[in-house]
Amino acid sequence: MSYQALYRVWRPQQFMDVVGQEHITTTLQNALLQQKTSHAYMFNGPRGTGKTSAAKIFAKAVNCEMGPASEPCNECDSCRGITEGKIQDVIEIDAASNNGVDEIRELRDKVRFAPSSVKYKVYIIDEVHMLSTGAFNALLKTLEEPPKHAIFILATTEPHKIPLTIISRCQRFDFKRITNQAIVNRMKLIVDEIDVQVDDSALQIIARAAEGGMRDALSLLDQAISFSADEVTIEDVLTVTGSVSQGFLTRLAKAVQDKDVSSGLRVLDELLSNGKDPSRFIEEFILFYRDLLFYKTAPDLEETMERVIDDEFRSIADNVQSAEIYPLIELLNKTQNEMRWTNHPTIFLEVAVVKLCQFETNHDLSGQISQLVSKIEQLEQDMEKLKSVEPKVIVKEVPAKQEKATPSPEVPKKKPSKEDIIANEVLTKATKDALNLVRSNWGEMIDRLIRSHSALLTEADPVAASNSAFIIKFNHEGHCVMANSNTHFAESVTFALQELTGKKFMVFGVTEKQWLTIRSNFLKVK
């Protein structure tokens, strides 16, 4: 076959071609220039980030006839021979298929022989974590004290499976995921060289689908070029990668914002009819709301967002509060986890869309709280006015023979706190049925909360409830302060209880000492 895949044709041949790993290539280049190369290296990182490519470049550089140099010349017989795979002193071993003790013993026996055509023997062991325990033991002594002419480069995606005795004998380099922008820049260079027209937005979609791997990105680009006719468009890339266009996500987000269940389900049905994967779609939708949250809270980080910020996106962002986005992401994330363990992920996705469109935002709850706070402030103002009015003293005549009683000094009444007023509001409307409803769903509600929120309720109990609010008694004052000061905690509890009971409760916390005082005062008044 005369045609070669793009990732093979454009495989890096110099350190400068290894994208996104400058922290590693600079260190290796300095070591080559200073002739301080080690006998063993470990290259760790996700797939497609340049581990084996960097290993082959290092093998060429250390054996280059023009060395010591920071880059292989790719012109001498050694460099060309290693590139073409003709030099037997640079050995690539696939540990996935050669993971037994016998293969490593054979390697150990042959490593003692001097190289035949270059200065160093370089052993590149790919997926080294696949070696068996016996194979690692056989490799250990050789790796610790190899001959002067041998260099080992171990490549792996799972370093936690490698014995610490092996890791401690290597210089470890951690390859990181390549940024989307770096992948796009590399693909632009390639498409310019091969003279193919590709839309810039299409390259962004490919980079996002590649998840930080350059090899995956070039494979998708190769597939998109084969699929398209004259120019690679966004539609071509969406078809090849299975990604969802921003237009669909925007339409669905608009339906959620307008609480239009019919429109939301129609958009979802259209997506699934086009062959989009439900799991891929929900991941894209989570990223959409993630970008929405970033745009609302940190607009200066626009370059870290996954999508183009257009007018429709801005319109949705302008009509949503940041606090409303958190529970939407939590609901989508929960649905994504449930979809992984079912044979019918589409059903879970459809239910999630219905829930999103029917999701009650915190506007109503916030309004109730605002009204309650306004009433409290009005009461405080009225009390201040009453204090400023001088009391009229009524003098009662005392019979001549009766001694005038000495008036007892007035004890100033303690000004009721906001907590007392709110608690009294709840207690006035409290019912036993409402409290039993909260208590019967209390345990399951705690299980639905995130760990930091559920931890606050480990020693707390609901003690009173009306049809719209309930009081939580905390045994620890610190937990009570944290709960009352964290608006996200109250929203999460309200949302979880609403899912379980169908009712929306406002949450209010008091300490055990406060509750005893509030309850006692309420009973006295009553």
Side-chain angles (χ1 to χ4, degrees), residues 27-28 30-39 41 58 171:
T27 305
L28 294 176
N30 291 338
L32 288 165
L33 286 173
Q34 299 169 18
Q35 300 186 35
K36 293 181 179 179
T37 56
S38 176
H39 68 282
Y41 296 90
F58 184 81
Q171 284 191 14

Side-chain angles (χ1 to χ4, degrees), residues 276-294:
K276 302 302 181 184
D277 180 33
S279 301
R280 187 62 180 272
F281 161 72
I282 198 166
E283 182 177 346
E284 294 278 349
F285 207 28
I286 291 173
L287 288 174
F288 180 89
Y289 278 114
R290 170 252 194 194
D291 288 347
L292 203 63
L293 182 63
F294 278 18

Side-chain angles (χ1 to χ4, degrees), residues 208-266:
R208 189 165 68 245
E211 297 180 347
M214 181 60 71
R215 183 173 63 238
D216 291 357
L218 294 183
S219 296
L220 289 171
L221 177 62
D222 205 355
Q223 190 175 350
I225 292 172
S226 301
F227 177 81
S228 62
D230 300 324
E231 180 182 357
V232 179
T233 63
I234 295 178
E235 289 72 20
D236 297 334
V237 172
L238 291 174
T239 302
V240 168
T241 61
S243 300
V244 181
S245 69
Q246 183 165 333
F248 276 110
L249 296 173
T250 304
R251 285 170 55 195
L252 186 54
K254 189 72 171 62
V256 171
Q257 196 171 69
D258 296 340
K259 302 190 182 304
D260 190 344
V261 178
S262 299
S263 296
L265 291 176
R266 277 197 295 267

Side-chain angles (χ1 to χ4, degrees), residues 50-108:
K51 299 185 294 296
T52 52
S53 295
K56 289 197 73 172
I57 295 169
F58 184 81
K60 288 193 291 185
V62 80
N63 286 312
C64 182
E65 296 174 6
M66 302 298 177
S70 60
E71 294 278 13
C73 68
N74 288 323
E75 298 293 335
C76 64
D77 293 339
S78 296
C79 289
R80 288 204 305 269
I82 294 172
T83 301
E84 297 169 3
K86 296 179 179 178
I87 292 184
Q88 297 181 353
D89 296 318
V90 176
I91 303 102
E92 289 190 62
I93 301 173
D94 178 20
S97 55
N98 299 281
N99 56 5
V101 178
D102 295 336
E103 288 86 351
I104 300 303
R105 283 177 178 169
E106 184 180 357
L107 179 153
R108 186 181 61 188

Side-chain angles (χ1 to χ4, degrees), residues 86-345:
K86 296 179 179 178
I87 292 184
Q88 297 181 353
D89 296 318
V90 176
I91 303 102
E92 289 190 62
I93 301 173
D94 178 20
S97 55
N98 299 281
N99 56 5
V101 178
D102 295 336
E103 288 86 351
I104 300 303
R105 283 177 178 169
E106 184 180 357
L107 179 153
R108 186 181 61 188
D109 293 338
K110 291 182 178 179
V111 74
R112 294 178 296 176
F113 299 109
S116 58
S117 52
V118 290
K119 185 177 179 182
Y120 289 98
K121 268 189 172 183
V122 181
Y123 287 88
I124 302 172
I125 306 179
D126 197 14
E127 299 299 333
V128 69
H129 63 273
M130 299 291 287
L131 290 179
S132 64
T133 303
F136 274 125
N137 292 335
L139 179 64
L140 184 60
K141 190 64 178 178
T142 303
L143 199 63
E144 183 179 16
E145 297 177 0
K148 293 182 179 180
H149 58 260
I151 296 176
F152 288 89
I153 302 177
L154 314 180
T156 179
T157 56
E158 300 182 52
H160 57 278
K161 294 184 178 180
I162 301 175
L164 294 177
T165 51
I166 297 290
I167 296 176
S168 64
R169 287 164 172 79
C170 304
Q171 284 191 14
R172 175 171 171 171
F173 292 91
D174 292 326
F175 285 68
K176 59 185 180 181
R177 292 186 182 277
I178 306 171
T179 62
N180 288 354
Q181 191 56 50
I183 293 175
V184 169
N185 292 339
R186 179 68 172 173
M187 287 193 293
K188 282 183 179 178
L189 174 66
I190 293 173
V191 297
D192 288 342
E193 288 290 331
I194 63 178
D195 195 23
V196 174
Q197 297 295 320
V198 183
D199 191 283
D200 288 347
S201 298
L203 294 180
Q204 291 283 355
I205 295 171
I206 291 175
R208 189 165 68 245
E211 297 180 347
M214 181 60 71
R215 183 173 63 238
D216 291 357
L218 294 183
S219 296
L220 289 171
L221 177 62
D222 205 355
Q223 190 175 350
I225 292 172
S226 301
F227 177 81
S228 62
D230 300 324
E231 180 182 357
V232 179
T233 63
I234 295 178
E235 289 72 20
D236 297 334
V237 172
L238 291 174
T239 302
V240 168
T241 61
S243 300
V244 181
S245 69
Q246 183 165 333
F248 276 110
L249 296 173
T250 304
R251 285 170 55 195
L252 186 54
K254 189 72 171 62
V256 171
Q257 196 171 69
D258 296 340
K259 302 190 182 304
D260 190 344
V261 178
S262 299
S263 296
L265 291 176
R266 277 197 295 267
V267 174
L268 179 61
D269 183 63
E270 188 177 346
L271 279 167
L272 299 177
S273 299
N274 291 338
K276 302 302 181 184
D277 180 33
S279 301
R280 187 62 180 272
F281 161 72
I282 198 166
E283 182 177 346
E284 294 278 349
F285 207 28
I286 291 173
L287 288 174
F288 180 89
Y289 278 114
R290 170 252 194 194
D291 288 347
L292 203 63
L293 182 63
F294 278 18
Y295 181 78
K296 295 287 292 183
T297 57
D300 54 323
L301 298 179
E302 188 170 323
E303 67 276 1
T304 66
M305 300 181 191
E306 299 284 348
R307 62 204 71 257
V308 179
I309 309 303
D310 54 15
D311 292 338
E312 292 181 342
F313 185 87
R314 289 191 180 93
S315 175
I316 293 174
D318 292 339
N319 292 290
V320 68
Q321 300 297 324
S322 300
E324 298 173 24
I325 301 176
Y326 303 130
L328 297 179
I329 293 177
E330 289 178 1
L331 176 59
L332 288 171
N333 185 62
K334 179 183 176 184
T335 304
Q336 186 182 37
N337 290 332
E338 291 171 341
M339 288 169 62
R340 291 173 181 166
W341 309 105
T342 180
N343 294 327
H344 304 285

